Amino acid sequence: MNNVTSILTDTHGRTHNYLRISLSEKCNLRCTYCMPHDGIPLSPRANLMTADEIEAFAKVFVANGVDKIRLTGGEPLVRKDFSDILRRLSNLPVRLSITTNALLTHRYIENFKRYGLNDINVSLDSLDAEKFKLITRRDQYKKAFENINQLVTEGFHVKINAVLMKDFNEDEIVDFIKLTKNQDINVRFIEFMPFDGNEWNKNKLVSEAEIINRVTNYFGIEALKPLANEQNFTARNFKIEGFKGSFGIISSVTNPFCDSCNRIRLTADGKLKNCLFSNEETNLLKAFRKGEKLEDLIDLALNNKKAVRAGMTDFNQLTNPDLHNNNRSMIAIGG
Ligand code: SAM
Ligand code: SF4
């Protein structure tokens, strides 16, 4: 149980003990589902949170019950002062984790260990170098795969995130699951979500039923073992009998996990987002720089959080571009 104060409790009774902080709007990859073709307008440097500000904000959230912080982005490891930020946050009573594309993880292995960051989620959407290049617009498959193996060998708790897209990588589902045969990793298949400029289309979704179908066709129905749900789970987890690792399905679009949502997000320019799908943002950085207290603003933002996907209660609303086009690209939110 966590000790979340009323400030981080919303009107639906959900307590928010999990803060995701985006450290950068920049990235060394250009994934098509995340980064619009022409990039995004970057915030002027002066509008981004400094390491001091990140630490100060984290302290306010921790004082109100946050006990888990994930560093994300853009790519969090492109930030030059990443290790300094990690060191500062490691002094707080929180479980630290990161989501990264793994291209730079080899530089940070020692600091991850020194500052107690053990949970590493890595994005990898294809096991085929050519497809990796197509989706990321960069020829970096070898480095990413090498670094993921290094993280596993070094004993980190690794999850691989693969965004599934129809007619692109759904034929790799079985290959991804085979990675869990001899390695204790968790592969998570993520539904492609709509954001500004990412050419989302509901026909590109791969449903949970289709994933399970492919799995059972290949491994057999008896081999598929559902696992118990974690607290505040976002993935339905399974494993193949006898395999060391497991796999999960994150269906944020067709079957969201809003009831048990405990997440809040801070963008690199210091704005609080109460929901990934919401285009409302609360500018904490501006208030902080004016010397204002943050608690009332945070309280208000949480009280405005809708029960389900920023108020888009049914699938048809979600497929209406007018309702999600004002929501920034994932790269600017911090996934
Ligand atoms: N650069 C890091 C990475 O790629 O892991 C961290 C940031 S990235 C925005 C965080 C996560 O968001 C990744 O796992 C990525 O696959 C996911 N993501 C980005 N755009 C998405 C979309 N449109 N639908 C589903 N997941 C998305
Ligand atoms: Fe970069 Fe991650 Fe977005 Fe890919 S998903 S463009 S690696 S931030």
Side-chain angles (χ1 to χ4, degrees):
M1 273 310 280
N2 51 59
N3 298 310
V4 172
T5 65
S6 61
I7 289 171
L8 290 182
T9 305
D10 71 9
T11 53
H12 308 281
R14 292 173 296 198
T15 53
H16 297 78
N17 63 319
Y18 182 8
L19 174 67
R20 298 166 76 100
I21 306 178
S22 171
L23 297 187
S24 176
E25 295 174 347
K26 293 188 185 158
C27 189
N28 41 7
L29 292 181
R30 291 277 179 282
C31 304
T32 56
Y33 52 77
C34 176
M35 173 91 92
H37 183 262
D38 298 324
I40 56 160
L42 294 173
S43 303
R45 203 188 159 98
N47 292 2
L48 299 177
M49 295 184 291
T50 63
D52 278 345
E53 287 163 340
I54 290 170
E55 184 183 12
F57 288 2
K59 282 182 176 163
V60 172
F61 283 100
V62 169
N64 285 288
V66 160
D67 58 8
K68 185 172 174 195
I69 294 182
R70 176 172 297 277
L71 302 174
T72 178
E75 173 49 42
L77 297 179
V78 299
R79 192 156 163 152
K80 298 275 183 298
D81 56 357
F82 173 80
S83 292
D84 180 36
I85 293 168
L86 183 60
R87 180 187 58 75
R88 291 162 183 252
L89 298 181
S90 72
N91 292 322
L92 302 177
V94 288
R95 186 175 175 112
L96 289 173
S97 55
I98 189 169
T99 303
T100 170
N101 59 30
L103 289 185
L104 297 174
T105 48
H106 57 289
R107 296 189 191 161
Y108 293 98
I109 298 283
E110 289 317 313
N111 279 343
F112 289 160
K113 290 184 180 172
R114 181 172 302 128
Y115 300 122
L117 189 156
N118 191 41
D119 295 336
I120 303 186
N121 288 6
V122 178
S123 300
L124 183 75
D125 306 307
S126 179
L127 298 168
D128 173 290
E130 279 310 306
K131 277 200 208 171
F132 180 93
K133 194 161 127 190
L134 268 180
I135 194 83
T136 64
R137 304 184 181 115
R138 293 289 182 273
D139 193 6
Q140 292 282 2
Y141 174 76
K142 194 166 167 285
K143 188 69 200 161
F145 200 67
E146 211 173 84
N147 278 359
I148 293 172
N149 281 332
Q150 182 189 30
L151 292 169
V152 175
T153 310
E154 292 283 345
F156 291 97
H157 181 222
V158 175
K159 291 184 181 175
I160 294 181
N161 289 342
V163 177
L164 285 184
M165 280 156 290
K166 210 23 140 304
D167 299 329
F168 179 71
N169 59 358
E170 99 245 53
D171 58 337
E172 296 192 58
I173 290 170
V174 165
D175 292 337
F176 270 110
I177 293 177
K178 284 183 183 168
L179 293 179
T180 69
K181 182 170 184 189
N182 298 314
Q183 303 184 99
D184 186 10
I185 55 175
N186 178 246
V187 173
R188 299 167 346 141
F189 299 114
I190 303 181
E191 262 179 1
F192 178 30
M193 291 186 276
F195 293 99
D196 198 11
N198 77 353
E199 291 170 21
W200 183 85
N201 175 326
K202 66 177 177 203
N203 299 326
K204 291 186 188 168
L205 285 178
V206 182
S207 72
E208 181 165 342
E210 287 170 86
I211 297 172
I212 296 294
N213 212 8
R214 275 184 184 267
V215 174
T216 51
N217 277 346
Y218 187 85
F219 295 103
I221 272 185
E222 324 73 47
L224 180 69
K225 304 287 169 207
L227 300 176
N229 290 332
E230 292 164 6
Q231 205 191 358
N232 302 110
F233 65 100
T234 53
R236 267 173 277 280
N237 284 308
F238 303 85
K239 78 187 283 151
I240 299 299
E241 177 112 69
F243 281 22
K244 272 193 174 166
S246 56
F247 70 96
I249 302 175
I250 304 185
S251 34
S252 324
V253 178
T254 56
N255 196 357
F257 305 86
C258 304
D259 284 354
S260 60
C261 180
N262 64 340
R263 294 147 183 244
I264 36 175
R265 295 180 156 81
L266 199 50
T267 62
D269 58 350
K271 294 179 179 148
L272 182 65
K273 274 183 91 85
N274 63 14
C275 170
L276 191 53
F277 287 102
S278 170
N279 44 30
E280 279 170 29
E281 300 179 346
T282 303
N283 197 335
L284 295 187
L285 186 58
K286 197 167 154 200
F288 184 75
R289 287 183 180 172
K290 283 200 281 184
E292 292 170 13
K293 279 190 72 183
L294 303 182
E295 283 81 351
D296 289 349
L297 284 174
I298 299 172
D299 193 23
L300 189 62
L302 268 285
N303 283 338
N304 284 339
K305 179 161 172 160
K306 302 284 191 299
V308 176
R309 279 190 309 228
M312 292 181 271
T313 43
D314 68 57
F315 189 67
N316 288 337
Q317 283 174 301
L318 198 72
T319 57
N320 175 358
D322 293 341
L323 291 177
H324 61 72
N325 268 359
N326 291 330
N327 192 9
R328 296 204 253 176
S329 316
M330 187 70 125
I331 185 131
I333 299 171

